[in-house]
Amino acid sequence: MAARTGKLLQELFRKMLDAFGAQGWWPGETPFEVALGAILTQNTNWSNVARVIQGLKEAGLLNPGALKALAEGELARLIRPAGYFNVKARRLKSFLAFLEEFQDSMELLAAADLETLRPALLKVKGIGPETADSILLYALDQPTFVVDAYTFRILSRHGLLAEPCTYEDLRQLFMDHLPSEVGLYQEYHALLVRLGKEFCRPQPRCSACPLEDWPSPQD
DNA sequence: CACCAGGCAAGTA
DNA sequence: TACTTGCATGGT
């Protein structure tokens, strides 16, 4: 994956867009809701997270002030269906403490630049690279590429990865070879997840994948 | 029943 | 630096 990388990545995007159409990520009505969802969905099926967010919304708790007022144990009880509830309650609390430095305002947070925000988010306990990039890209509209397990698996299955390859390697790969556009990055990652869910599961191997045998051997 | 899901931190070598 | 392990629910 060297000189022709840009071309390959453009082709991949085009094929996924043709097969699935625009995904319109992230599902969430507010930037704060998106950030919460990013933490809750760590290694967890989105349907479980959606249930939790719905519950918080109905209880009027989907705002920083209300969540900060809850004891950590009480928060854990409320997010139980999302799994890892004790860990995630602590992680949500640490994110809320971080957001307090910005007057609980996602808008104020979005006003900072990417080079400042990303390292700051990564220092928050419970926010790793994927969660940080998800919050940056989908809640704050910052041009950073989100890499996840599907990204590794799809590229690896198609023989496009010179492993070993770290999260940062793969993020840089996309960002070095694609235009730095928020809308493109948002749609690209969403399409990789869609493709991964339907056709690139750990087992069994892909069937009826819309990419077919792409990339062809002579490429 | 086994396996998976839009990770991360902490411990070990 | 590069593994390994704990964390936990709900769907297939």
Side-chain angles (χ1 to χ4, degrees), chain A residues 163-218:
Chain A
E163 296 169 85
C165 179
T166 67
Y167 181 99
E168 297 298 333
D169 290 338
L170 208 38
R171 171 175 179 265
Q172 269 316 126
L173 183 76
F174 282 94
M175 295 182 68
D176 285 345
H177 296 280
L178 294 172
S180 181
E181 294 168 10
V182 170
L184 172 64
Y185 289 176
Q186 288 179 334
E187 203 50 57
Y188 208 136
H189 172 68
L191 284 165
L192 284 170
V193 172
R194 174 74 184 275
L195 177 69
K197 279 182 174 172
E198 293 189 31
F199 300 103
C200 203
R201 305 179 63 80
Q203 52 184 237
R205 302 283 295 196
C206 332
S207 63
C209 176
L211 299 183
E212 300 178 351
D213 59 353
W214 177 90
S216 49
Q218 62 271 29

Side-chain angles (χ1 to χ4, degrees), chain A residues 20-206:
Chain A
F20 301 120
Q23 301 298 294
W25 267 28
W26 184 292
E29 293 178 8
T30 67
F32 183 68
E33 180 178 334
V34 171
L36 247 52
I39 293 170
L40 289 173
T41 198
Q42 290 168 357
N43 202 40
T44 299
N45 192 306
W46 178 258
S47 64
N48 290 8
V49 176
R51 198 172 291 127
V52 168
I53 290 181
Q54 183 62 24
L56 292 175
K57 194 175 296 186
E58 285 168 6
L61 296 172
L62 216 52
N63 61 82
L67 291 180
K68 280 193 294 185
L70 295 172
E72 194 171 302
E74 182 63 10
L75 180 56
R77 188 183 64 77
L78 289 165
I79 66 173
R80 202 168 72 89
Y84 304 133
F85 48 82
N86 289 311
V87 170
K88 286 175 180 174
R90 186 164 58 250
R91 292 178 181 180
L92 288 177
K93 284 291 185 180
S94 62
F95 174 70
L96 289 166
F98 169 76
L99 190 58
E100 200 162 38
E101 299 171 27
F102 297 83
Q103 285 87 65
D104 289 347
S105 164
M106 294 295 288
E107 290 70 29
L108 228 52
L109 194 58
D113 43 75
L114 180 59
E115 289 66 32
T116 308
L117 272 178
R118 191 169 191 269
L121 276 171
L122 288 173
K123 275 190 260 175
V124 178
K125 289 297 180 187
I127 296 185
E130 181 181 343
T131 306
D133 287 325
S134 296
I135 292 172
L136 288 164
L137 181 62
Y138 292 106
L140 305 176
D141 289 318
Q142 301 266 352
T144 184
F145 201 90
V146 178
V147 174
D148 72 338
Y150 289 124
T151 314
F152 279 97
R153 193 185 306 152
I154 291 165
L155 294 190
S156 177
R157 286 257 171 104
H158 289 272
L160 299 175
L161 287 190
E163 296 169 85
C165 179
T166 67
Y167 181 99
E168 297 298 333
D169 290 338
L170 208 38
R171 171 175 179 265
Q172 269 316 126
L173 183 76
F174 282 94
M175 295 182 68
D176 285 345
H177 296 280
L178 294 172
S180 181
E181 294 168 10
V182 170
L184 172 64
Y185 289 176
Q186 288 179 334
E187 203 50 57
Y188 208 136
H189 172 68
L191 284 165
L192 284 170
V193 172
R194 174 74 184 275
L195 177 69
K197 279 182 174 172
E198 293 189 31
F199 300 103
C200 203
R201 305 179 63 80
Q203 52 184 237
R205 302 283 295 196
C206 332

